[in-house]
Amino acid sequence: AGWFAILATGVDNLTIDNLKIDTNRDGMDIDCCRNVRVSNCTVNSPWDDAICPKSSFALGYARVTENVTVSNCYVTGGYQLGTLLDGTFKRLGPEFKQPIGRIKFGTESNGGFRNITISNCVFESCRGFALETVDGAVCEEITFTGITMRDIRNSPLFLRLGTRMRGPKGIPVGSLKRVLINNVVSSGALPELCSIVSGIPGHRIEDVKISDVYLHQLGGGTTAMAELNPLEKESDYPEPCMFGGLPATGLFLRHVKNIEMSNVEIAIEHPDARPAFWLHDVEGGDFFRVKTPRGSRAFAMRNVHEFRVFGSRNIKDTAVEQIANQVL
C-alpha cells in the first residue's frame, strides 16, 4: 500500500475481520468511529503504526472514538514489505533498528477514546502499546489484557497525557483515567526506554491498575542514567523517545494519581544501575507483590504521597504518607 491500508473516518458499526495487511504506512486508522470490532488480523507496517484508533477533527468537530474492541491480532514491523502477504516472511536486517508496527491510540486526539478493549494480541519486532491524549481528548475506560510482546524496540507500555493541542483554540487539557492493564508479558525490550506513565504538571493520569505483568528488559543502564530527571516536554509530539534515556529499568511514573500494581515483575538480562520504579509527583501508589532485580534498588521517589509497598520479595513492607526524596 502507498497510503493507509484502511482509513475509516466517522464510521459506525464497523467490523474488520481476518485481514492480512502489508504496508509502508498505517495498517488501519479508525478515526471518530463508534461500535468497531477488529479481530483476527495480521499487520506488518515497519514504517508506521499497525492498528491506530484516532479521534481527530476530520469531520469538522470533535467526535469520540468509542465502543471499540481489538482482539486476536498480530502486529509487527519486522518483515520486508510484501513478504508477510506472500508468505515468505523475510526479516528486515539489523540495520533497521526502529520498526513501528504497533497498536497506538493517537496521535490525533481531539474527541476522545472511551470504552475500549485490546485483548489476546501479539506484538513482535515493533514498538510497544501507546495510549495518548495530547489534543484535549478525554480518554477513559480502557483495558489492555492477554498480550505477548517480543523484541520491543521502545517502551512496552506508553501512557501519555500532554498539551500539543492541535485543533481549535481554547480547548481545555484532556484527561486520561480508568485504565486496566493485565496479563501482559514482554521480553527483550531495549534498555534505554522502560514503560512510561506520564502526565504533565497540574494534569495527572489517574486510576491506573497494572497486574500480572512480566517486563523483561535488556538492561545495562548506568549510574549516570539513574540520576536523570527528564524534561517535561509538555507540548512535544508524544513518543517514548521524547524524554531520552530514562532513570528506571521497569516503569517511569510521573504526574500520576491512584496507581496500583500487583504481581508485577521487572527482569533484566544485564546488570543495571537504575531502580526498577521511578516515581515523581505521584499521589496514591500501591505496590503489592512486585519483584525487582536482585542487587538493584526498587524505588526512587520524589514528591510522592500515600505510598505503600507490601508482600514483595526483598522489599520491606512500607507505608508512607509523604516522601520528598527517597530511595527504597
Side-chain angles (χ1 to χ4, degrees), residues 130-191:
L131 179 58
E132 305 167 355
T133 170
V134 295
D135 297 325
V138 173
C139 183
E140 56 193 19
E141 281 83 51
I142 312 291
T143 68
F144 184 71
T145 183
I147 308 296
T148 68
M149 297 178 164
R150 184 169 60 178
D151 186 27
I152 297 303
R153 304 299 179 89
N154 62 13
S155 300
L157 305 170
F158 180 59
L159 278 61
R160 175 62 171 170
L161 168 61
T163 52
R164 181 181 69 166
M165 307 309 287
R166 179 186 291 174
K169 293 182 179 180
I171 300 296
V173 177
S175 63
L176 176 50
K177 61 180 66 175
R178 297 192 289 278
V179 179
L180 269 61
I181 297 171
N182 58 49
N183 296 314
V184 176
V185 57
S186 169
S187 65
L190 293 183

Side-chain angles (χ1 to χ4, degrees), residues 204-270:
R204 291 170 170 155
I205 295 174
E206 302 180 43
D207 309 328
V208 177
K209 292 183 182 291
I210 301 175
S211 62
D212 299 301
V213 170
Y214 184 96
L215 298 175
H216 170 268
Q217 305 283 127
L218 293 181
T222 64
T223 302
M225 291 180 70
E227 299 302 319
L228 292 171
N229 185 15
L231 297 175
E232 296 282 355
K233 299 190 175 181
E234 301 170 35
S235 60
D236 282 21
Y237 185 91
E239 194 65 48
C241 62
M242 66 190 294
F243 300 119
L246 293 173
T249 56
L251 280 121
F252 173 91
L253 308 172
R254 183 160 65 179
H255 309 306
V256 181
K257 181 179 181 181
N258 187 28
I259 184 163
E260 178 185 296
M261 295 193 194
S262 59
N263 301 310
V264 172
E265 179 169 354
I266 310 301
I268 53 175
E269 189 164 321
H270 302 288

Side-chain angles (χ1 to χ4, degrees), residues 8-14 30-36 53-68 108-114 116 135-138 168 171:
T9 304
V11 180
D12 292 350
N13 306 312
L14 171 66
I30 299 163
D31 190 6
C32 306
C33 298
R34 294 173 177 165
N35 305 323
V36 179
K54 300 178 183 290
S55 181
S56 74
F57 238 84
L59 299 175
Y61 62 94
R63 189 176 197 250
V64 176
T65 292
E66 62 182 338
N67 302 334
V68 177
E108 288 74 14
S109 47
N110 301 102
F113 303 108
R114 189 167 57 208
I116 311 286
D135 297 325
V138 173
I171 300 296

Side-chain angles (χ1 to χ4, degrees), residues 3-162:
W3 197 242
F4 304 147
I6 296 175
L7 174 57
T9 304
V11 180
D12 292 350
N13 306 312
L14 171 66
T15 298
I16 302 172
D17 182 61
N18 196 28
L19 294 186
K20 288 183 174 62
I21 297 174
D22 212 337
T23 177
N24 61 356
R25 292 301 309 273
D26 285 352
M28 305 177 197
D29 277 14
I30 299 163
D31 190 6
C32 306
C33 298
R34 294 173 177 165
N35 305 323
V36 179
R37 305 292 171 261
V38 178
S39 56
N40 306 308
C41 293
T42 300
V43 183
N44 178 50
S45 54
W47 292 274
D48 220 327
D49 299 307
I51 300 174
C52 192
K54 300 178 183 290
S55 181
S56 74
F57 238 84
L59 299 175
Y61 62 94
R63 189 176 197 250
V64 176
T65 292
E66 62 182 338
N67 302 334
V68 177
T69 66
V70 179
S71 60
N72 305 326
C73 292
Y74 173 77
V75 296
T76 182
Y79 296 101
Q80 296 177 31
L81 193 63
T83 66
L84 182 145
L85 204 58
D86 68 16
T88 58
F89 292 93
K90 296 177 182 177
R91 286 281 184 178
L92 288 164
E95 70 282 356
F96 193 70
K97 298 183 184 300
Q98 285 292 323
I100 303 178
R102 63 188 163 188
I103 298 175
K104 179 180 102 169
F105 285 72
T107 301
E108 288 74 14
S109 47
N110 301 102
F113 303 108
R114 189 167 57 208
N115 292 346
I116 311 286
T117 70
I118 305 97
S119 62
N120 302 333
C121 291
V122 175
F123 291 60
E124 185 176 28
S125 300
C126 60
R127 299 183 186 181
F129 173 62
L131 179 58
E132 305 167 355
T133 170
V134 295
D135 297 325
V138 173
C139 183
E140 56 193 19
E141 281 83 51
I142 312 291
T143 68
F144 184 71
T145 183
I147 308 296
T148 68
M149 297 178 164
R150 184 169 60 178
D151 186 27
I152 297 303
R153 304 299 179 89
N154 62 13
S155 300
L157 305 170
F158 180 59
L159 278 61
R160 175 62 171 170
L161 168 61

